[in-house]
């Protein structure tokens, strides 16, 4: 409450100033971090923008495919659709994108960014207008996760005039997608936007002995209302968004032998696995223009999210219904035993395989399925001020902001037990509500930052800082819905994060870029666990002319403490929500981006983009065996961070048509620091093709072929076995604008 009062007091102090200003305001623009590709040249650090024109080439709906072109970004594939992606920037942990700052329209968008940052909700990528990635010193304006950087997803803007779009797409696996947008801006200053995005598929995997599909059904609706009367200094925008999702996704993967026989197989034990989610967002944004050089904005936001992932968790082979036995014989242990031709609790690898195949019945109560229900909220108020000052030949562009934020994760979960009879799951015991988790985690935080862009001559300097003050607590209960307090814990963290960046312009096209900043990851509420901190340094060059862009950047993240946080998807034997100190670690890397456009004969244009990332991440110290990291020795690799990644994009444009190709390569990775047998993925190359033709000026026909060569590689092993990439998939569509 005290933190909230600080922010409200600052807002009250600004009100008299706002009332006396006499500036004039245009309608609210979309809130962005970068702006345009031209604006990237002014950022003292690495940044990348995937704009609307780039997105139109492939019409992807999968954020995993969209973000591949960004140097420094790594993806841990879990499903073929990017519903709950695992995204890393510059070697931070990939787990549920929980170590990067995720934003939609510059508002924190993870279900509970401080108390439970794992992104079990991710915005529908297919409805976004653009994507921005900011790294380096500029990342201190976006927190709390500043070691890797920030990903800002920019939603569809209200058009400047009456305009609409209807996109319809169909493809293999009974996949269908519809995206409709309509908006207008009137002379009176009122503007609106209506948007609907629907996406469904039967999925590319098949469940043994079942008619259950492995697909998805996503609906996403958005309304924007804005008012900015001509000549007024005031403007306001209200955004309301609602998304519902049902997907028959599972954590249960395959043994390596089964993967080789059929990568798209899913064991019948996962037949009941499904997740349902409901997300709602409300954002009210106010902007005031004091003058052309001074502006103020206030943003109030509220996000709510509910989910229930009903999925198989593990086995107790003798059916004793003992919680410890279930933990010790999770599916990951069983699958690893089969891979190693080992036994578990007296069951041979052949018997364990027979259980997976459905040909061996199991004891009553031997299989555990969890109703992994959670409710979240994330809400807050953020105030920002931008001020441009010219003093002689020195230009200052000052940016400052303060945010009060609170969030919560509420778990009231149930474990039920089943047995397998004749290849089908049979319910034995529903279980007591709360027996799988009955707790509430909360966080309250105040963050503020100040950032000054100083320009004089050929130099640009950007000193700045970020300050975070975070209170976290966890309360566990017994008694099911009656919620009798069992125990609690809490902690407080405050940290000052300075940063400094610089640009030196050698000429109109070539600049040198360098920066250093202190990076930070908000800790959990686990006692004795330190926050994750790192000193981040980068340096490189940027070359830009009318048709060519080249950016080459080297970076080092020197961790004082690498944080490990247990989640359901990590597949380790720890308690979900607990955190672990990983001590010192170091991540070094090189990011390279080259893009070029060449005019050929007969009105043809050739576009080329090459994005390359090299990352060397390793532990610097020995760590005794933990439930999360395992037994770590200095020099062991940080899991799920590939050493080499490459994307080559080629396109030929000719009048009304264009053809594009994306070739992506990613190295194999270690799934655990020990990198032992069956603890490594496979290197993978993927080729996607797309074509489009404008039948009329307002009618575009398009097609896409993903994974042309049908490469099937082990892309992940967490939490329970080998996981594939999506098989070759074709789709066609039409887009109408009016």
């Amino acid at each position: 409450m005290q933190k909230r009062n600080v922010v409200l007091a600052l807002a009250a102090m600004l009100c008299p100033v706002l009332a006396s200003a006499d500036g004039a305001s245009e309608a609210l623009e979309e809130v962005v971090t970068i702006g345009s590709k031209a604006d990237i040249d002014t950022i003292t650090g690495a940044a990348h923008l995937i704009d609307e024109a780039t997105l139109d080439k492939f019409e992807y709906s999968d954020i995993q495919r969209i973000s591949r072109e960004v140097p420094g970004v790594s993806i841990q594939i879990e499903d073929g659709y990017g519903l709950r992606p695992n995204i890393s920037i510059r070697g931070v942990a990939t787990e549920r994108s929980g170590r990067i700052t995720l934003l939609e329209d510059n508002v924190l968008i993870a279900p509970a960014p401080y108390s439970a940052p794992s992104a079990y909700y991710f915005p529908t990528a297919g409805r976004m207008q653009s994507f921005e990635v900011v790294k380096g010193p500029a990342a201190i304006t976006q927190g709390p996760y500043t070691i890797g950087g920030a990903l800002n997803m920019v939603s569809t803007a209200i058009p400047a005039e009456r305009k609409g779009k209807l996109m319809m797409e169909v493809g293999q696996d009974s996949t269908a997608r519809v995206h409709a947008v309509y908006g207008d801006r009137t002379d009176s200053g009122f503007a609106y936007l209506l948007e609907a995005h629907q996406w469904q598929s039967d999925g590319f995997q098949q469940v043994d002995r079942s008619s259950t599909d492995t697909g998805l059904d996503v609906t996403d609706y958005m309304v924007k209302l804005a008012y900015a009367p001509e000549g007024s200094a005031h403007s306001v925008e209200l955004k309301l968004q609602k998304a519902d999702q049902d997907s028959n996704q599972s954590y249960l993967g395959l043994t390596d032998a089964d993967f080789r026989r059929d990568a798209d197989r899913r064991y019948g034990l996962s037949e009941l696995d499904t997740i349902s989610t409901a997300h709602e967002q409300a954002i009210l944004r106010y902007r005031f223009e004091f003058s052309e050089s001074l502006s103020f904005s206030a943003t109030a936001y509220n996000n709510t999210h509910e989910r229930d992932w009903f999925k198989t968790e593990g086995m107790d082979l003798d059916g004793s219904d003992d919680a410890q036995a279930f933990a010790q014989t999770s599916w990951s242990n069983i699958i690893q035993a089969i891979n190693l031709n080992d036994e578990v609790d007296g069951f041979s690898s052949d018997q364990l395989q027979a259980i997976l195949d459905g040909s061996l019945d199991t004891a009553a109560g031997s299989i555990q399925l969890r109703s992994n229900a959670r409710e979240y909220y994330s809400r807050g108020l953020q105030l920002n001020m931008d001020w441009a000052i010219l003093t002689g030949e020195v230009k200052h562009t000052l940016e400052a902001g303060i945010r009060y934020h609170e969030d919560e994760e509420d778990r009231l979960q149930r474990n039920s037990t089943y047995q397998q009879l004749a290849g089908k799951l049979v319910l034995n015991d529903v279980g007591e509500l709360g027996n799988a988790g009955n707790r509430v985690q909360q966080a309250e935080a105040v963050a503020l930052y100040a950032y000054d862009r100083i320009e004089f001559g050929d130099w640009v300097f950007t000193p700045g800082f970020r300050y975070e003050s975070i209170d976290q607590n966890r309360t566990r209960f017994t008694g099911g819905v009656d919620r009798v307090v069992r125990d609690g814990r809490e902690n407080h963290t405050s940290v000052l994060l300075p940063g400094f960046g610089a640009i030196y312009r050698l000429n109109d096209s070539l600049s040198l870029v360098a920066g250093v900043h202190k990076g930070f990851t908000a800790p959990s509420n686990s006692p004795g666990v330190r926050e994750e901190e790192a000193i981040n340094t980068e340096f490189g060059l940027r070359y830009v002319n009318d048709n060519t862009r080249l950016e080459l950047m080297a970076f080092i993240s020197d961790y004082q403490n690498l944080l490990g946080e247990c989640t359901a998807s990590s597949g380790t034997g720890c308690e979900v929500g607990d955190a672990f100190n990983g001590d010192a670690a170091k991540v070094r890397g090189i990011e390279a981006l080259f893009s070029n456009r060449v005019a050929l004969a007969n009105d043809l244009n050739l576009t080329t983009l090459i994005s390359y990332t090299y990352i060397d991440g390793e532990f610097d110290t020995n760590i005794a065996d933990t439930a999360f990291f395992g037994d770590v020795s200095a020099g062991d690799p940080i899991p799920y961070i590939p050493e080499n990644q490459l994307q080559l994009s080629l396109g030929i444009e000719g009048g009304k048509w264009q053809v594009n190709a994306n070739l992506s390569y990613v190295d194999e990775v270690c799934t655990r620091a020990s990198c032992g047998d069956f603890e490594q993925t496979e290197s993978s190359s993927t080729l996607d093709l797309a074509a489009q033709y404008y039948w009329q000026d307002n009618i575009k026909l398009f097609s896409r072929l993903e994974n042309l060569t049908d490469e099937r590689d082990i892309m992940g092993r967490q939490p329970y076995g080998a996981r594939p990439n999506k098989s070759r998939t074709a789709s066609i569509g039409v887009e109408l604008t009016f």
Side-chain angles (χ1 to χ4, degrees):
M1 182 65 70
Q2 186 175 3
K3 288 182 168 67
R4 181 187 308 171
N5 291 338
V6 171
V7 178
L8 295 177
L10 287 172
M13 293 169 59
L14 285 167
C15 289
V17 180
L18 299 180
S20 65
D22 58 0
S25 174
E26 298 294 332
L28 274 172
E29 298 178 351
E30 293 310 295
V31 178
V32 295
T33 300
I34 296 174
S36 68
K37 288 191 174 179
D39 294 328
I40 293 176
D41 307 338
T42 68
I43 296 176
T44 55
H48 195 90
L49 171 66
I50 304 175
D51 61 12
E52 193 170 8
T54 303
L55 293 172
D56 283 346
K57 292 180 179 180
F58 280 85
E59 298 282 1
Y60 284 135
S61 55
D62 182 353
I63 183 61
Q64 299 169 140
R65 281 181 146 81
I66 292 170
S67 59
R68 282 289 190 202
E69 75 168 56
V70 183
V73 170
S74 306
I75 306 292
Q76 174 194 336
I77 298 294
E78 182 176 313
D79 63 65
Y81 300 99
L83 299 175
R84 285 161 292 277
N86 302 287
I87 303 175
S88 165
I89 301 176
R90 289 188 169 177
V92 301
T94 60
E95 188 67 36
R96 280 286 175 265
S97 308
R99 301 300 173 80
I100 63 176
T101 300
L102 289 176
L103 308 137
E104 181 176 333
D105 297 331
N106 264 20
V107 167
L108 293 173
I109 199 59
Y114 284 85
S115 59
S118 295
Y120 287 98
Y121 166 76
F122 199 89
T124 306
R127 67 171 172 84
M128 295 299 163
Q129 177 177 288
S130 61
F131 297 84
E132 304 174 321
V133 177
V134 177
K135 299 165 278 186
I140 64 173
T141 65
Q142 309 292 340
Y145 304 96
T146 60
I147 295 177
L151 168 61
N152 182 39
M153 290 157 276
V154 182
S155 66
T156 306
I158 298 176
E161 57 186 4
R162 185 178 301 174
K163 187 178 180 181
K165 179 182 79 170
L166 176 62
M167 187 277 289
M168 296 174 288
E169 178 184 24
V170 295
Q172 289 178 262
D173 305 317
S174 300
T175 301
R177 190 160 66 102
V178 176
H179 186 198
V181 180
Y182 184 77
D184 192 12
R185 196 179 298 271
T186 67
D187 294 338
S188 65
F190 175 72
Y192 67 91
L193 177 80
L194 306 175
E195 182 173 32
H197 187 281
Q198 295 186 319
W199 181 25
Q200 62 187 36
S201 176
D202 284 349
F204 63 95
Q205 295 173 290
Q206 294 80 44
V207 181
D208 291 350
R209 305 174 303 282
S210 175
S211 60
T212 300
D213 66 53
T214 59
L216 55 95
D217 189 349
V218 180
T219 59
D220 200 327
Y221 304 102
M222 185 179 72
V223 175
K224 287 185 179 180
L225 304 173
Y227 184 61
E230 185 176 354
S232 172
H234 305 270
S235 56
V236 63
E237 180 182 280
L238 174 65
K239 173 188 174 186
L240 302 173
Q241 183 255 333
K242 176 179 174 59
D244 294 319
Q245 179 194 123
D246 294 300
S247 55
N248 296 326
Q249 299 293 311
S250 175
Y251 278 171
L252 184 56
L254 299 169
T255 68
D256 278 39
D258 286 337
F259 187 96
R260 300 303 171 209
R261 283 188 284 267
D262 182 3
D264 292 336
R265 178 186 180 188
R266 252 181 55 183
Y267 299 128
L269 293 161
S270 70
E271 179 182 17
L272 303 180
D273 290 14
T274 184
I275 179 171
S276 297
T277 70
H279 177 85
E280 294 185 2
Q281 180 188 66
I283 299 177
L284 180 62
R285 182 173 285 116
Y286 168 78
R287 184 175 177 86
F288 188 88
E289 299 283 349
F290 293 90
S291 65
E292 291 184 358
S293 60
L294 179 62
S295 65
F296 164 82
S297 66
T299 303
Y301 60 92
N302 185 71
N303 295 302
T304 62
H305 184 68
E306 296 181 37
R307 51 152 283 193
D308 189 356
W309 200 337
F310 190 70
K311 61 182 184 291
T312 181
E313 292 282 334
M315 286 194 66
D316 173 12
L317 290 166
D318 62 9
S320 63
D321 195 16
D322 176 72
Q324 186 66 24
F326 278 120
Q328 291 175 349
T329 54
S330 69
W331 294 120
S332 59
N333 294 334
I334 290 172
I335 287 176
Q336 185 72 335
I338 296 172
N339 285 335
L340 296 172
N341 195 25
D342 205 346
E343 66 173 37
V344 175
D345 290 347
F347 282 71
S348 69
S349 60
D350 288 341
Q351 290 174 304
L352 297 174
Q353 181 67 56
I355 292 173
L356 296 181
D357 291 340
S359 58
L360 180 63
D361 291 345
T362 66
S366 59
I367 299 174
Q368 184 181 87
L369 276 80
R370 176 171 298 176
S371 175
N372 208 331
R374 307 178 194 178
E375 295 183 4
Y376 302 84
Y377 69 72
S378 168
R379 58 199 181 205
L381 173 67
Q382 52 193 44
L383 311 175
N384 294 85
M385 186 78 76
D386 296 286
W387 191 13
I389 309 170
L390 186 62
T391 57
E393 296 183 355
V394 180
K395 179 182 178 182
H396 292 262
T397 304
L398 296 163
E399 182 182 347
I402 184 169
R403 177 179 67 212
Y404 168 78
H405 174 93
E406 58 185 27
D407 61 45
E408 177 183 280
E409 178 197 56
D410 187 340
R411 298 177 182 232
L412 185 57
Q413 303 169 332
R414 184 199 310 269
N415 280 333
S416 301
T417 55
Y418 290 71
Q419 67 182 129
Q420 181 171 249
L421 294 176
K424 285 291 186 178
L425 290 174
V426 177
L427 177 65
N428 298 132
D429 182 18
V430 172
E432 179 185 353
L433 186 62
N435 66 2
N438 191 351
R439 70 171 189 251
V440 173
Q441 297 187 154
Q442 297 172 316
E444 185 180 15
V446 166
L448 59 91
Y449 75 90
Y451 190 78
D452 185 12
R453 179 181 173 83
I454 306 169
E455 301 176 65
F456 62 94
D458 295 324
W459 288 94
V460 178
F461 296 120
T462 55
F465 73 89
R466 183 175 193 85
Y467 173 76
E468 294 268 357
S469 177
I470 308 166
D471 290 310
Q472 294 176 295
N473 65 77
R474 185 190 79 175
T475 304
R476 294 195 296 181
F477 305 93
T478 60
V481 294
D482 294 333
R483 293 207 141 171
V484 178
V485 174
R486 171 186 169 190
D487 57 38
R489 66 190 190 196
E490 60 183 30
N491 67 8
H492 171 78
T493 303
S494 59
V495 62
L496 180 66
L497 307 169
F500 182 84
I503 296 176
Y504 177 66
R505 298 188 181 95
L506 294 170
N507 55 48
D508 291 342
S509 299
L510 183 61
S511 301
L512 300 179
V513 183
V516 60
H517 76 284
K518 183 178 181 180
F520 170 75
T521 291
S524 77
N525 51 58
S526 294
V529 176
R530 309 188 304 275
E531 59 267 25
E532 185 173 79
E533 294 184 348
I535 302 300
N536 302 283
T537 307
E538 67 175 9
F539 55 92
L541 59 87
R542 183 181 292 142
Y543 175 85
V544 180
N545 65 23
D546 291 341
N547 296 309
T548 303
R549 170 179 293 274
L550 172 65
E551 186 167 288
L552 184 64
M553 199 74 64
F555 67 89
I556 300 175
S557 296
D558 190 358
Y559 287 82
Q560 285 74 56
N561 182 48
L562 183 73
L563 188 68
E565 188 159 2
C566 185
T567 67
S569 58
S570 63
T572 53
C574 48
E575 182 178 346
V576 173
D578 282 352
F580 304 87
N581 295 316
D583 296 335
K586 195 174 274 79
V587 178
R588 307 173 182 89
I590 296 173
E591 300 168 348
L593 179 71
F594 171 79
S595 64
N596 181 248
R597 182 183 180 89
V598 177
L600 304 175
N602 300 321
D603 295 326
L604 293 178
N605 292 291
L606 174 66
T607 60
T608 305
L609 183 142
I610 303 173
S611 175
Y612 171 74
T613 304
Y614 168 81
I615 298 180
D616 176 21
E618 61 183 38
F619 291 88
D620 284 348
T621 56
N622 300 328
I623 307 173
D625 186 49
T626 68
F628 185 85
F629 289 111
D631 196 5
V632 177
S633 300
D636 283 349
I638 297 174
Y640 276 111
I641 303 301
E643 188 172 62
N644 294 284
Q645 297 178 91
L646 173 70
Q647 174 152 312
L648 171 62
S649 300
L650 295 174
I652 298 179
E653 305 169 0
K656 294 185 175 183
W657 61 272
Q658 62 175 283
V659 177
N660 293 280
N662 277 345
L663 176 62
S664 299
Y665 169 81
V666 60
D667 268 348
E668 68 279 0
V669 299
C670 297
T671 60
R672 298 204 78 190
S674 52
C675 208
D677 293 336
F678 305 101
E679 292 182 345
Q680 194 173 39
T681 67
E682 298 174 324
S683 61
S684 181
S685 298
T686 305
L687 176 62
D688 293 350
L689 299 178
Q692 57 182 257
Y693 174 73
Y694 278 89
W695 184 29
Q696 297 180 17
D697 290 343
N698 66 330
I699 302 178
K700 182 181 78 172
L701 308 176
F702 65 90
S703 62
R704 183 177 64 252
L705 185 58
E706 299 177 13
N707 194 5
L708 172 66
T709 57
D710 202 25
E711 295 294 319
R712 312 315 308 279
D713 304 308
I714 297 176
M715 304 301 293
R717 292 185 180 274
Q718 306 298 86
Y720 308 138
R723 310 289 288 272
N725 51 341
K726 189 166 70 170
S727 57
R728 180 170 51 230
T729 307
S731 60
I732 58 173
V734 59
E735 181 178 289
L736 313 174
T737 56
F738 50 90

